[in-house]
Amino acid sequence: MVLTVDVGNTNIVLGGFEDDKLLFVTRLCTDKYKMPDEYAISFKGVIEFHGYSVDKFDGAIISSVVPPLLPTLKKAISSLLGCKVFTVSPGTKTGLNIRIDNPGILGADLVCSAVAAMNRYKMPCIIVDLGTATKFSVLDKDKFFLGVSIMPGVNISLDALSKNTAQLPHIEFENAHTVIGTNSIDSMRSGIVFGTASMIDGMIERLNAEIGQEATVVVTGGIAENIVPHCKSKINTNPNLVLYGLLDIYYKNTKTK
């Protein structure tokens, strides 16, 4: 088995693979102040909760957009699983040809999602990642990574609404059922759900125009399945795209597949 770890600003997503089969996915809160042993205990608990033993893992790979956590998590996983732990960094073999101004600064999560997409979807491709930030990545017909558009994510937008207005409450993200809200909470949910869906449709149209042809679109992230049904564009959903990219990169660097 291979343990894939996607470290984001809000959540750490763990995925356990047997060959190409994703056996389990679980999420933990990202905590920069936890020690390696604390993370090791948490990871052991969730792995065993899903019915698997830590001694069944042959390797692990980490993607992180929180640099201070990387040494901590690498130590935690290495001590827990007793195996080599790979990380996605500028020196890692990915097979991705990056055409941005400084390829070394591209986020590891964006690298992983792009690798997964180029191995699974028709090119050109637009990848929409609905995470802490909302990110649109573009791969051209030759699988070159052209660049990214970044904007505030759904939860950041909700937090900003409540913090910067006197009468709007703090709410958790939930699906909306009507565009026209009849109270503050439903109005906020309508705006965030249908507004995000409309923004995705609009960005897809603009990106297609810029690359000069219609691209395959895949949306990933934990809330993808809540937003995509409200979009008008033809869209594929893959909430665990980064994990599949991590698996692809792991195999590329170990040559075990």
Side-chain angles (χ1 to χ4, degrees):
M1 292 178 66
V2 177
L3 182 68
T4 56
V5 185
D6 173 25
V7 184
N9 290 291
T10 305
N11 294 317
I12 297 174
V13 185
L14 303 181
F17 284 89
E18 182 74 61
D19 297 322
D20 289 330
K21 185 178 181 182
L22 183 57
L23 300 178
F24 70 86
V25 178
T26 192
R27 281 175 165 77
L28 301 172
C29 289
T30 301
D31 186 346
K32 292 183 289 186
Y33 302 104
K34 270 189 177 181
M35 302 302 288
D37 286 353
E38 292 178 289
Y39 269 114
I41 291 168
S42 297
F43 290 172
K44 184 175 188 292
V46 295
I47 288 169
E48 292 180 347
F49 175 78
H50 285 279
Y52 300 97
S53 173
V54 295
D55 60 9
K56 299 296 184 183
F57 287 87
D58 303 308
I61 183 167
I62 306 172
S63 158
S64 177
V65 296
V66 188
L69 258 183
L70 197 53
T72 299
L73 292 173
K74 191 171 182 180
K75 184 176 180 180
I77 295 168
S78 178
S79 63
L80 177 64
L81 303 184
C83 64
K84 184 172 182 179
V85 181
F86 292 87
T87 60
V88 179
S89 60
T92 308
K93 296 177 184 177
T94 65
L96 183 65
N97 194 321
I98 303 170
R99 294 289 182 90
I100 66 172
D101 295 341
N102 183 357
I105 67 168
L106 185 64
D109 56 336
L110 299 179
V111 172
C112 292
S113 60
V115 168
M118 75 178 188
N119 290 333
R120 290 169 178 80
Y121 297 96
K122 182 181 177 181
M123 297 291 110
C125 184
I126 298 167
I127 306 159
V128 187
D129 186 345
L130 298 173
T132 303
T134 295
K135 294 154 285 189
F136 291 76
S137 303
V138 180
L139 294 167
D140 72 9
K141 60 183 179 63
D142 298 313
K143 300 184 178 181
F144 292 143
F145 189 99
L146 300 183
V148 189
S149 181
I150 304 174
M151 57 212 67
V154 165
N155 286 318
I156 287 178
S157 298
L158 281 175
D159 287 344
L161 271 178
S162 60
K163 288 177 181 177
N164 293 286
T165 56
Q167 292 185 306
L168 292 180
H170 174 79
I171 65 169
E172 298 297 325
F173 174 79
E174 288 185 20
N175 214 340
H177 303 290
T178 61
V179 179
I180 302 173
T182 56
N183 56 68
S184 295
I185 291 175
D186 286 347
S187 298
M188 292 170 70
R189 286 179 179 149
S190 166
I192 206 70
V193 172
F194 294 109
T196 300
S198 299
M199 178 268 292
I200 290 172
D201 285 329
M203 285 296 293
I204 290 169
E205 182 179 353
R206 289 175 180 270
L207 291 169
N208 281 336
E210 193 157 318
I211 62 177
Q213 63 185 118
E214 186 173 342
T216 303
V217 180
V218 55
V219 178
T220 189
I223 63 168
E225 293 175 338
N226 299 104
I227 299 294
V228 170
H230 303 294
C231 295
K232 295 181 179 180
S233 307
K234 183 179 179 182
I235 293 175
N236 303 280
T237 57
N238 188 333
N240 302 306
L241 194 66
V242 173
L243 300 183
Y244 283 100
L246 279 165
L247 184 70
D248 292 345
I249 295 169
Y250 174 84
Y251 284 138
K252 192 169 188 66
N253 285 271
T254 59
K255 298 181 180 179
T256 55
K257 185 178 178 183

